[in-house]
């Protein structure tokens, strides 16, 4: 066995303060792919130390989203809320070595200070008042029963440089860093402390995270130094922007992964799509299966510039993946959407045999699974509701009535109700009625489906069956006669 140090160990470390959005899961995916590419370890760690911002159900949604996309983890989920002792020990160590200090400032004082800084247009940050407390003063505060926070003693001058695998050397001026909190008065660590303690204890080798965390990294580097630990390597992933080049948000449509699932996107399509939000194989390949992405993934090919989310591209890609499914698989995946979205009047459970006959008519056309019920609803409902005018777009009322009556009579007697027979008789009818086939078929389509655009007409009629078709043609005739 090779020493674990040389193996890649990465983590996805979401805070359960909301449902995971595309950006979060893109981070998870890059970490997962990087781990799999390197035969490394992918760890799931829930950073639940901000108790005031916990959102109910967020952990379950994170887990569901990862499972749905097939981002399986090798260790975890670890919960930081169950590891508080470890963070306290680290804070104690820093206190003992005077690299951190207890701060007794009240929330009111901190707030007043913040307001004053805003008023004076000064950068925000703690004014370090408790950094110089004498032991006497400290004892007085303790005697008053004030529960302190622990703050890090940031260096007052100098620079903190670090290397980012994507951006190269980055240097922060220490005088821009304040004495940030490590341990809150409720005993919970802040993100900074818990994050680095865990990255260290979990032997994380690479931190791949969204670039909004870049400004936290100098603090982390200073903490590693203070604790005498070796920091992992860092790579800050490019932002994801909406088509308007603003940071991707709810405004650009659904952002949580489970919403995409519920809208009928396939996990394999979303996987492919997310992998290309910031990474590419070359300048042209768009369709890449999970295994290919794992095989070819490299940090070198992560873009330095922001990725742009393009919903049309996702729809297109999802359509490609939908069409590549076997009919059986397509049907299996569409079934829950049909059960969910077909009108309530349609009897449940649906008739599997009937559904299987309909699916080949829509597989080519659907871009999402949620479109399947919309596209096929007319197969299931009893009566159609559509505007009578749709029957009259090309022909007058008398002509349409005649056409419908003649058609009904002929279709009643058609010996075989199948596509070739239907096509033959309808072509003959068009000729007999002296109507262009396009016009006549269009009329039949509206009468039979209630729509002007629908799957191929004769296949539709075959699947619908003789009685329902005749019933619909008669209903059209009556609708029209009644106007
Ligand atoms: N808990 C942070 C988040 O919610 C983790 C950031 C990091 O990966 O360091 O994204």
């Amino acid at each position: 066995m090779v020493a674990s140090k040389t193996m890649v160990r990465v983590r996805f470390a979401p805070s359960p303060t909301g449902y995971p959005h595309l950006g979060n899961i893109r981070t998870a995916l890059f970490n997962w792919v990087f781990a799999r590419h390197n035969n490394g370890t992918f760890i799931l760690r829930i950073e639940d130390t901000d108790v005031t911002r916990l959102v109910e159900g967020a952990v379950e949604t994170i887990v569901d989203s990862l499972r749905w996309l097939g981002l399986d983890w090798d260790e975890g989920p670890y919960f930081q809320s169950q590891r508080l002792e470890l963070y306290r020990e680290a804070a104690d160590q820093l206190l003992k070595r005077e690299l951190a200090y207890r701060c007794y400032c009240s929330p009111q004082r901190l707030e007043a200070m913040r307001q004053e800084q805003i008023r004076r247009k000064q950068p925000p940050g703690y004014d370090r008042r408790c950094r110089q407390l004498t032991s006497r003063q400290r004892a007085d505060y303790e005697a008053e029963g004030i529960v302190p926070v622990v703050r890090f003693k940031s260096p007052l001058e100098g620079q903190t440089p670090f290397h980012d695998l994507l951006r190269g050397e980055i240097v922060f001026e220490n005088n821009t860093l304040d004495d940030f909190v490590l341990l809150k008065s409720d005993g919970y660590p802040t993100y900074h402390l818990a994050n680095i303690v865990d990255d260290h204890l979990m032997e994380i080798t690479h931190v791949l995270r969204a670039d909004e965390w870049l400004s936290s990294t100098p603090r982390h580097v200073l903490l590693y130094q203070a604790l005498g630990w070796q920091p992992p390597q860092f790579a800050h992933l490019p932002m994801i922007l909406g088509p308007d080049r603003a940071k991707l948000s709810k405004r650009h449509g659904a952002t949580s992964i489970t919403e995409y699932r519920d809208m009928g996107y396939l996990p394999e399509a979303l996987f492919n799509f997310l992998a290309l939000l910031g990474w590419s194989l070359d300048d042209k390949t768009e369709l890449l299966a999970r295994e290919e992405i794992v095989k070819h993934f490299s940090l070198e090919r992560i873009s330095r510039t922001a990725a742009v989310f393009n919903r049309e591209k996702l729809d297109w890609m999802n359509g490609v993946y939908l069409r590549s499914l076997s009919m059986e698989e397509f049907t299996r995946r569409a079934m829950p959407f049909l059960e969910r979205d077909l009108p309530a009047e349609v009897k449940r459970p649906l008739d599997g045999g009937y559904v299987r006959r309909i699916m080949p008519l829509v597989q080519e056309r659907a871009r999402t699974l949620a479109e399947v019920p919309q596209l096929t609803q007319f197969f299931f409902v009893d009566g159609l509701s559509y505007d009578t005018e749709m029957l009259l777009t090309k022909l007058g009322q008398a002509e349409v009535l005649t056409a419908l009556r003649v058609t009904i009579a002929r279709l009643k007697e058609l010996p075989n109700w199948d596509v070739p027979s239907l096509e033959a008789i309808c072509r003959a009818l068009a000729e007999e009625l002296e109507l262009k086939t396009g016009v006549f078929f269009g009329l039949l389509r509206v009468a039979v489906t209630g729509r002007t655009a629908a799957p191929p007409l004769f296949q539709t009629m075959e699947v619908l069956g003789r009685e329902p078709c005749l019933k619909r043609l008669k209903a059209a005739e009556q609708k029209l006669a009644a106007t």
Side-chain angles (χ1 to χ4, degrees):
M1 188 85 186
V2 189
S4 69
K5 285 282 179 232
T6 61
M7 303 233 283
V8 163
R9 287 176 61 84
V10 290
R11 64 355 181 238
F12 174 49
S15 302
T17 51
Y19 293 161
H21 54 71
L22 278 185
N24 300 133
I25 297 295
R26 196 270 318 252
T27 298
L29 187 141
F30 278 28
N31 277 285
W32 182 89
V33 172
F34 185 66
R36 294 295 169 259
H37 177 86
N38 291 293
N39 287 322
T41 302
F42 176 63
I43 296 166
L44 175 57
R45 183 171 82 216
I46 307 292
E47 302 206 325
D48 55 349
T49 58
D50 193 347
V51 277
T52 58
R53 291 180 55 226
L54 296 184
V55 166
E56 177 143 356
V59 172
E60 290 76 8
T61 312
I62 291 165
V63 164
D64 279 358
S65 304
L66 295 176
R67 289 222 170 99
W68 180 67
L69 278 172
L71 305 179
D72 56 335
W73 51 94
D74 309 299
E75 285 180 28
Y78 296 109
F79 290 85
Q80 290 189 323
S81 58
Q82 294 168 6
R83 301 163 57 82
L84 300 182
E85 205 39 53
L86 298 166
Y87 315 126
R88 233 171 273 146
E89 271 168 33
D92 281 347
Q93 239 192 80
L94 292 171
L95 281 169
K96 230 176 270 150
R97 291 163 45 211
E98 296 189 7
L99 297 169
Y101 61 93
R102 292 194 172 86
C103 165
Y104 300 87
C105 292
S106 66
Q108 293 76 2
R109 169 169 194 273
L110 295 176
E111 182 51 29
M113 180 192 76
R114 208 175 65 88
Q115 293 303 337
E116 182 66 11
Q117 285 165 340
I118 293 173
R119 208 178 54 79
R120 294 202 192 168
K121 299 200 165 49
Q122 288 173 342
Y126 179 56
D127 62 5
R128 302 191 157 105
R129 181 168 139 183
C130 291
R131 187 164 167 152
Q132 9 278 346
L133 293 183
T134 59
S135 45
R136 177 71 197 272
Q137 287 169 312
R138 231 177 286 133
D140 286 349
Y141 283 127
E142 297 281 342
E144 276 177 53
I146 299 173
V147 184
V149 302
V150 176
R151 289 184 184 273
F152 184 64
K153 261 189 198 171
S154 289
L156 302 175
E157 51 198 20
Q159 296 177 322
T160 299
F162 59 89
H163 183 79
D164 181 278
L165 292 168
L166 303 178
R167 297 153 186 260
E169 271 328 278
I170 297 185
V171 179
F172 274 82
E173 294 294 330
N174 291 337
N175 61 16
T176 63
L177 307 171
D178 75 339
D179 289 356
F180 53 96
V181 174
L182 298 172
L183 214 53
K184 295 175 275 184
S185 52
D186 61 4
Y188 278 77
T190 54
Y191 156 69
H192 301 302
L193 179 65
N195 190 267
I196 71 114
V197 168
D198 278 346
D199 281 349
H200 171 70
L201 294 177
M202 294 176 189
E203 299 184 17
I204 299 302
T205 56
H206 298 76
V207 167
L208 316 185
R209 65 180 162 209
D211 75 354
E212 68 201 61
W213 299 103
L214 187 69
S215 60
S216 296
T217 306
R219 295 184 173 88
H220 298 181
V221 170
L222 287 169
L223 276 174
Y224 281 111
Q225 280 168 9
L227 287 158
W229 297 339
Q230 176 71 25
Q233 305 206 59
F234 296 101
H236 291 88
L237 306 173
M239 277 226 294
I240 305 178
L241 305 178
D244 56 358
R245 305 202 69 86
K247 188 171 181 236
L248 191 66
S249 75
K250 264 269 177 258
R251 227 161 19 88
H252 302 103
T255 49
S256 91
I257 289 297
T258 44
E259 279 175 78
Y260 284 94
R261 178 192 63 197
D262 298 345
M263 287 188 299
Y265 291 94
L266 297 178
E268 49 273 56
L270 204 60
F271 187 103
N272 186 160
F273 179 78
L274 286 174
L276 295 183
L277 278 181
W279 174 83
S280 61
L281 174 65
D282 49 35
D283 295 327
K284 48 186 192 300
T285 313
E286 304 268 34
L287 296 170
L288 285 155
R290 168 188 306 254
E291 303 72 45
E292 295 173 282
I293 294 167
V294 167
K295 181 163 163 214
H296 299 294
F297 191 80
S298 73
L299 296 179
E300 288 73 50
R301 288 215 56 95
I302 292 181
S303 120
R304 271 53 172 173
T305 52
V308 178
F309 170 77
N310 177 340
R311 181 73 173 264
E312 284 83 54
K313 181 168 157 186
L314 173 59
D315 285 350
W316 163 78
M317 199 174 265
N318 202 58
V320 173
Y321 277 87
L322 278 177
R323 289 192 288 282
S324 74
L325 297 177
S326 69
M327 191 50 64
E328 199 188 326
E329 186 58 18
F330 178 78
T331 307
R332 195 180 69 77
R333 304 230 204 164
M335 203 57 158
F337 288 84
L338 289 163
E339 294 279 3
R340 185 189 74 183
D341 291 348
L342 283 175
E345 57 169 284
V346 179
K347 197 167 131 281
R348 308 293 204 285
L350 301 167
D351 171 354
Y354 186 51
V355 170
R356 268 195 291 284
R357 296 181 60 213
I358 296 168
M359 291 301 102
L361 305 184
V362 289
Q363 189 182 16
E364 287 296 315
R365 303 180 62 211
R367 286 167 310 167
T368 65
L369 290 168
E371 282 180 359
V372 175
Q374 293 165 25
L375 290 168
T376 59
Q377 176 166 333
F378 64 85
F379 279 104
F380 297 93
V381 293
D382 242 348
L384 300 178
S385 66
Y386 57 90
D387 190 348
T388 318
E389 285 301 311
M390 285 166 67
L391 296 162
L392 299 170
T393 48
K394 295 275 167 42
L395 303 167
Q397 182 172 3
E399 266 177 305
V400 173
L401 277 173
T402 311
L404 288 172
R405 283 173 189 151
V406 175
T407 306
I408 292 166
R410 288 302 173 73
L411 291 184
K412 256 189 202 155
E413 291 154 13
L414 189 68
N416 296 317
W417 193 266
D418 55 28
V419 172
S421 315
L422 283 163
E423 177 156 7
I425 185 94
C426 290
R427 286 195 186 280
L429 275 167
E431 207 164 306
E432 192 180 321
L433 294 162
E434 293 184 5
L435 297 175
K436 284 195 185 128
T437 48
V439 172
F440 180 54
F441 295 175
L443 172 63
L444 293 181
R445 178 172 292 114
V446 171
V448 168
T449 68
R451 301 176 181 198
T452 48
L457 179 62
F458 305 117
Q459 287 167 13
T460 300
M461 290 174 76
E462 183 191 273
V463 171
L464 258 172
R466 188 192 309 257
E467 282 320 312
C469 279
L470 287 173
K471 208 169 133 196
R472 289 178 183 196
L473 289 164
K474 277 183 212 149
E477 185 205 329
Q478 278 158 15
K479 238 166 130 77
L480 208 54
T483 54

